[in-house]
Amino acid sequence: FLGNRLQIATYWAKTPTEAVADHDQSYRAQVEFVGDRYGWQVEHLAVGAQFNPDIGFIRRDDMRKSLGQFRFSPRPTRHRFIRRASYTGTLTYIEDDHRHLQTREVNGEFGLEFHNSDRFLLGATDIYEFLPRPFSIATGVTLPVDGYDFTNLYAFYNFGQQRPLAGHVTVERGSFYNGTRTALTVGQGRVKLSNQLSLQPTYSLNRVRLEQGAFTAHLFGTRVTHTFTPLMFVSALLQYNSTSHLVSANVRLRWEYRPGSELFVVLNEQRDSTNPRFPALMNRAFIVKINRLLQL
């Protein structure tokens, strides 16, 4: 298919249950062209309301998603700073099984890639979102059932990984449901403390004002990674959410004990920071997963 530039992906799955036989299927068809100067993608994904993969998970059911995207990425000749520019337009259209519109998103984006591996993006998004049931977005703030049109403008800058302090900064501003939203995100940063130990701090701020009320949400977090060998590492993701007042931790050990075969040991915890007995445990999960690659 035109070398490696044209990619096709598809699947079909059905999960028969004792419930109504309709809407128990999922399928996807995607065609993508990944040329250097031009690129495009078309996709259709369907997940029935009764589709239930017992040994897996789905992020969203009862939906039919159609997506179209086109990209134009010229490379300036002999420019001192810019390696490539890009202009991208994307349309996403999501319905439920009964063909009722749930989400429509139109996005336009302009980007620059620099010779030093930094990246800059400037974009705008127009969104329609239907809420089929009341949505509690924050403590004491609940959005009623309705269809909402809102827009968002954003600017993004990513500092290349070759820098001692890498990461990205995103600033967003626009309407949000029946109000406004201002957001700041600092993420994917990496601080190298040694050849084996590194930190990846993150922070996001969301300031939202709606007809039903206003709130400000802070999310602090960091990922700590210690690499014992090229085949074994331990990482811990620690987060605090000011809206839910939860402190969460995800600690994971990964060991590739033979090529293609891995052992994972995972500990998840959530604690309530408002409890007088902090850190009061809310839930905890301990998971062990092992896989073995068999070569015939």
Side-chain angles (χ1 to χ4, degrees):
F1 296 110
L2 299 178
N4 295 322
R5 292 181 294 173
L6 186 63
Q7 302 175 1
I8 300 175
T10 185
Y11 78 84
W12 176 85
K14 181 181 176 67
T15 59
T17 64
E18 297 179 358
V20 180
D22 295 336
H23 312 306
D24 60 354
Q25 303 178 44
S26 176
Y27 56 87
R28 176 190 182 208
Q30 180 186 28
V31 181
E32 183 176 10
F33 180 76
V34 288
D36 182 72
R37 187 174 179 85
Y38 298 98
W40 54 265
Q41 176 185 337
V42 290
E43 176 188 14
H44 183 71
L45 169 67
V47 182
Q50 277 78 47
F51 182 74
N52 181 26
D54 292 327
I55 61 173
F57 67 92
I58 52 178
R59 298 180 63 181
R60 179 173 179 175
D61 60 7
D62 189 16
M63 76 162 187
R64 297 173 182 267
K65 171 186 173 183
S66 298
L67 179 144
Q69 182 181 88
F70 180 79
R71 170 182 53 83
F72 173 54
S73 303
R75 292 182 180 270
T77 57
R78 301 179 181 178
H79 195 283
R80 184 178 178 183
F81 302 107
I82 300 173
R83 176 185 301 162
R84 183 167 72 162
S86 64
Y87 306 83
T88 307
T90 306
L91 170 64
T92 305
Y93 196 88
I94 300 177
E95 302 173 311
D96 62 15
D97 276 341
H98 301 288
R99 304 292 184 173
H100 298 145
L101 178 61
Q102 302 294 305
T103 304
R104 182 191 64 244
E105 182 174 318
V106 181
N107 176 258
E109 192 172 84
F110 167 71
L112 293 174
E113 296 180 19
F114 300 98
H115 290 299
N116 62 0
S117 78
D118 288 4
R119 293 175 59 234
F120 169 76
L121 295 175
L122 185 66
T125 305
D126 180 77
I127 302 170
Y128 170 83
E129 188 77 27
F130 175 73
L131 296 182
R133 59 187 63 87
F135 175 41
S136 178
I137 194 171
T139 303
V141 182
T142 301
L143 288 165
V145 174
D146 204 347
Y148 298 87
D149 279 294
F150 51 98
T151 59
N152 184 51
L153 302 175
Y154 60 90
F156 165 95
Y157 197 92
N158 182 80
F159 298 90
Q161 293 295 319
Q162 83 283 0
R163 299 177 182 274
L165 295 177
H168 74 248
V169 179
T170 305
V171 179
E172 301 176 68
R173 172 68 179 176
S175 54
F176 187 68
Y177 292 99
N178 57 23
T180 61
R181 170 177 171 263
T182 303
L184 168 68
T185 302
V186 181
Q188 293 185 347
R190 186 173 185 272
V191 182
K192 184 178 178 181
L193 301 181
S194 71
N195 291 332
Q196 294 177 296
L197 182 63
S198 65
L199 301 178
Q200 293 176 281
T202 62
Y203 169 71
S204 67
L205 163 70
N206 282 272
R207 184 166 293 167
V208 178
R209 287 179 169 81
L210 303 171
E211 294 178 4
Q212 289 72 27
F215 64 91
T216 300
H218 301 270
L219 179 65
F220 302 89
T222 187
R223 183 181 295 277
V224 184
T225 303
H226 187 275
T227 304
F228 297 99
T229 72
L231 302 178
M232 178 187 290
F233 71 85
V234 173
S235 67
L237 177 61
L238 309 175
Q239 288 186 328
Y240 169 71
N241 190 322
S242 67
T243 303
S244 60
H245 305 290
L246 291 179
V247 178
S248 60
N250 170 267
V251 183
R252 180 177 61 144
L253 166 69
R254 176 187 177 272
W255 175 34
E256 187 175 0
Y257 59 91
R258 58 175 296 171
S261 301
E262 301 166 309
L263 169 69
F264 294 93
V265 181
V266 181
L267 174 66
N268 292 323
E269 279 194 1
Q270 279 191 331
R271 296 178 180 269
D272 183 3
S273 65
T274 62
N275 193 299
R277 299 176 58 186
F278 177 79
L281 181 66
M282 294 186 62
N283 60 67
R284 172 183 290 162
F286 184 74
I287 305 163
V288 178
K289 175 185 175 182
I290 186 169
N291 61 58
R292 177 70 176 268
L293 176 65
L294 301 177
Q295 296 179 326
L296 302 178

